[in-house]
């Protein structure tokens, strides 16, 4: 594909607030749905006496659904429009969320998982595409920082809702379905801002995985480290002497860094013509923090400080990677690249926990930190190689 692209967009320097609010509403629903749904469904299956293996297999349907839905999203949105596709995804996600409550047989949870997470993936892809088209180039980092902050808050709000209402009865399912449905209101109100995908993308879907490798690799590392870290850090903390509450507070510090750093990172990214060195810096911070963790893990305050900056750096990979993607592509190509972006995130979510778990089995407790360092080292090598190989950001 020609790097200048034959469909150069009209540069608009104002932020389109209806579109921004619509995309933020969609990603809020995504964050809360995932943050509430994952622990809720696992707890209910455990109460029913389902084995850990089957719970894990059922949970893995989320990643499978995301990897299937992401490549199809652009094609569907091109035919139905972005707004109509998002509204249909909201209806499907809301209906399947309620469906879990009424589905007694375990086998029914597998298609429900596929529908639920497939619909959530569609919202994820199209909200990212919409936010990138709504953000003026000079303020893209700021807008995406706001977007990523809201996503982080949504992830945090889901478990908080779960901790308050518990898993009994229809209430948690109704609340989750209701929150998802509410996202349709600002989306419909912003339908005049509907981003148009007026042509087919120039390349097959898989080519977009490699077209902007610095961005897609960033979200792969983000998915692997975030999902693996959140899943296995409580085990690592307990094995190294922390109580359950102390380990939970350390996770809060990680999440706090995730939330606090997004907008400042976006503002810094707006001042950089080439964002790849910033992505490399975040990976280096993540690498150093991971390598330092085994030596400082027995000191709660030092560990908390590491995780605060580590969480912010990991989240920065997502925010700046998405901004880098928006700088490079437009129109149908951007929509397909956003789908590839989410595909890589889902792939990271599948690979991360397994890799970290195997590392802990092979190398002991600190295999947790070594596996995280491995992921960051791969990305540092990639970004430095790309900067040297393609200094002009191609």
């Amino acid at each position: 594909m020609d790097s200048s692209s034959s469909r150069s967009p009209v540069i608009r320097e104002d932020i389109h607030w209806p579109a921004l609010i619509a995309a933020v509403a969609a990603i809020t629903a995504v964050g809360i749905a995932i943050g509430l749904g994952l622990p809720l469904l696992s707890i209910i299956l455990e109460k029913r006496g389902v084995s850990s293996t089957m719970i894990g297999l059922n949970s893995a349907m989320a990643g499978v659904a995301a990897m299937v839905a992401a490549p199809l999203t652009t094609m569907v949105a091109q035919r139905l429009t972005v707004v109509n596709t998002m509204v249909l995804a909201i209806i499907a996600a809301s209906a399947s969320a309620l469906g879990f409550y009424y589905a007694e047989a375990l086998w029914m949870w597998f298609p429900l998982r596929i529908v639920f997470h497939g619909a959530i993936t569609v919202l994820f892809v199209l909200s990212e595409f919409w936010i990138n088209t709504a953000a003026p180039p000079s303020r893209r980092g700021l807008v995406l920082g706001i977007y990523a902050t809201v996503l982080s808050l949504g992830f945090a709000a889901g478990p908080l809702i779960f901790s308050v209402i518990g898993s009994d009865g229809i209430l948690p399912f109704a609340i989750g379905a209701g929150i998802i449905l509410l996202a349709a209101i600002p989306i419909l109100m912003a339908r005049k801002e509907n981003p148009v995908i007026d042509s087919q993308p120039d390349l097959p879907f898989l080519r977009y995985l490699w077209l902007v490798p610095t961005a897609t690799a960033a979200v792969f590392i983000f998915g692997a480290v975030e999902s693996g870290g959140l899943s296995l850090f409580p085990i690592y903390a307990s094995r190294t002497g922390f109580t359950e509450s102390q380990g939970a507070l350390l996770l809060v510090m990680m999440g706090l860094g995730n939330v606090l750093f997004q907008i400042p990172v976006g503002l810094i990214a707006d001042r950089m013509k080439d964002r790849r060195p910033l992505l490399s810096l975040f990976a280096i911070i993540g690498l150093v923090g991971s390598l330092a963790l085994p030596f400082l893990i027995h000191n709660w305050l030092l560990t908390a400080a590491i995780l605060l900056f580590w969480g912010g750096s990991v989240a920065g990979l997502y925010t700046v990677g998405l901004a880098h993607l928006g700088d490079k592509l437009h129109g149908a190509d951007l929509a397909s690249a956003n789908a590839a972006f989410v595909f890589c995130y889902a792939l990271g979510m599948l690979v991360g926990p397994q890799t970290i778990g195997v590392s802990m089995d092979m190398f002991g407790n600190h295999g947790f930190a070594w596996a995280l360092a491995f992921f960051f080292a791969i990305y540092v090598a990639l970004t430095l190689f790309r900067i040297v190989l393609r200094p002009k950001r191609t």
Side-chain angles (χ1 to χ4, degrees), residues 69 71-82 84-85 88 122 126 197:
L72 300 175
T73 298
T74 303
M75 178 183 67
V76 175
Q78 200 256 347
R79 294 182 179 182
L80 301 181
T81 77
V82 169
N84 289 340
T85 305
L88 289 174
V122 171
L126 295 181
I197 306 175

Side-chain angles (χ1 to χ4, degrees), residues 59-329:
S59 299
M61 292 299 103
V64 173
M67 293 173 68
V68 171
L72 300 175
T73 298
T74 303
M75 178 183 67
V76 175
Q78 200 256 347
R79 294 182 179 182
L80 301 181
T81 77
V82 169
V83 166
N84 289 340
T85 305
M86 292 178 78
V87 171
L88 289 174
I90 284 172
I91 294 171
S94 181
S96 56
L98 274 178
F100 286 108
Y101 174 73
Y102 294 102
E104 294 292 332
L106 177 61
W107 69 265
M108 298 174 69
W109 281 45
F110 285 86
L112 282 172
R113 283 268 196 184
I114 291 173
V115 172
F116 178 75
H117 286 284
I120 290 297
T121 298
V122 171
L123 288 174
F124 209 159
V125 171
L126 295 181
S127 64
E128 284 186 353
F129 170 62
W130 204 348
I131 205 78
N132 250 324
T133 60
S138 64
R139 304 177 74 181
R140 178 170 281 119
L142 170 63
V143 172
L144 291 174
I146 295 171
Y147 175 85
T149 299
V150 173
L151 175 61
S152 300
L153 290 172
F155 278 127
L160 179 61
I161 294 171
F162 175 67
S163 69
V164 172
I165 64 177
S167 60
D168 295 330
I170 196 174
L171 184 60
F173 298 94
I175 289 176
I179 289 172
I180 295 169
L181 276 178
L182 285 174
I185 298 174
I187 290 173
L188 289 171
M189 290 178 66
R191 60 187 178 276
K192 291 183 179 179
E193 295 272 353
N194 182 39
V196 178
I197 306 175
D198 56 2
S199 60
Q200 292 294 332
D202 287 343
L203 299 171
F205 173 79
L206 290 178
R207 288 288 301 277
Y208 287 95
L209 298 177
W210 315 108
L211 193 61
V212 190
T214 310
T216 50
V219 79
F220 170 78
I221 299 299
F222 171 73
V225 169
E226 183 198 45
S227 62
L230 289 176
S231 298
L232 293 168
F233 181 79
I235 297 173
Y236 179 55
S238 67
R239 289 182 181 178
T240 50
F242 291 120
T243 65
E244 185 176 313
S245 60
Q246 288 174 325
L249 284 175
L250 288 173
L251 277 181
V252 170
M253 294 301 294
M254 190 189 306
L256 184 63
N258 196 325
V259 172
L260 292 179
F261 282 80
Q262 295 297 314
I263 293 177
V265 161
L267 290 170
I268 293 170
D270 281 339
R271 296 179 177 273
M272 302 184 70
K273 293 183 178 179
D274 187 352
R275 295 182 170 111
R276 295 176 301 172
L278 186 58
L279 287 166
S280 184
L281 175 62
F282 289 144
I284 291 170
I285 293 172
L287 175 61
V288 172
S290 299
L291 293 174
L293 197 56
F295 303 99
L296 303 176
I297 188 65
H298 298 290
N299 185 308
W300 191 93
L301 287 177
L302 288 176
T303 303
I306 286 177
L307 291 178
L308 179 70
F309 287 96
W310 189 84
S313 298
V314 170
L317 290 175
Y318 175 86
T319 303
V320 181
L322 189 58
H324 183 61
L325 196 71
D327 276 349
K328 301 291 292 180
L329 300 166

Side-chain angles (χ1 to χ4, degrees), residues 356-381:
I356 296 171
V358 169
S359 180
M360 292 177 74
D361 286 339
M362 292 179 62
F363 304 111
N365 295 337
H366 295 314
F368 174 85
W370 308 142
L372 293 177
F374 170 73
F375 282 118
F376 284 118
I378 290 175
Y379 191 71
V380 170

Side-chain angles (χ1 to χ4, degrees), residues 3-27:
S3 59
S4 62
S5 182
S6 60
R7 294 183 297 277
S8 298
V10 177
I11 303 299
R12 301 167 68 176
E13 289 299 322
D14 55 320
I15 297 175
H16 305 283
W17 290 105
L20 174 61
I21 293 169
V24 164
I27 206 61

